Structure formats: C-alpha cells, structure tokens
Amino acid sequence: MGPLTAVKRRLQGVVQTREFGGEYTCRSCESRFDVQYHTCPNCGSYSVERLDW
C-alpha cells in the first residue's frame, strides 16, 4: 500500500466517523465503524473494539 492510499483510507475513516459515529473504534487510527471488524479496514490493526469496554 502506497502512502497516498493510506492517507485516502484514513480520510475515508474520518468521514465515516463524522457521518455515522459508529460504536466500534480502531485503537490505532481511531476510525469508527457500525460493525466490529477483526482487522481495521483503514490501517490493518487488530484492535477494533467498543468504546465502553
């Protein structure tokens, strides 16, 4: 993955957070999702968890 692709994915995560405000958050890049992923689609981290845990 090139640096521009990584920036694009991160920005998409920020837009998704502002629009949806999901309950699951990636601890690495702080992207938010409505469903729990095993790996973050934006950065590849394995730490996608609920905020209230």
Side-chain angles (χ1 to χ4, degrees), residues 1-15 28-31 33 40-45:
M1 168 173 36
L4 293 179
T5 304
V7 169
K8 181 179 176 184
R9 286 187 179 179
R10 181 153 183 151
L11 289 175
Q12 286 174 346
V14 169
V15 170
S28 296
C29 68
E30 298 180 359
S31 296
F33 309 100
C40 177
N42 294 333
C43 70
S45 172

Side-chain angles (χ1 to χ4, degrees), residues 1 3 5-6 12-13 15 18 20-21 25 31 33-34 36 38 41 44 48 51:
M1 168 173 36
T5 304
Q12 286 174 346
V15 170
R18 288 183 183 154
F20 301 114
T25 303
S31 296
F33 309 100
D34 290 328
Q36 183 179 17
H38 293 285
V48 178
L51 292 175

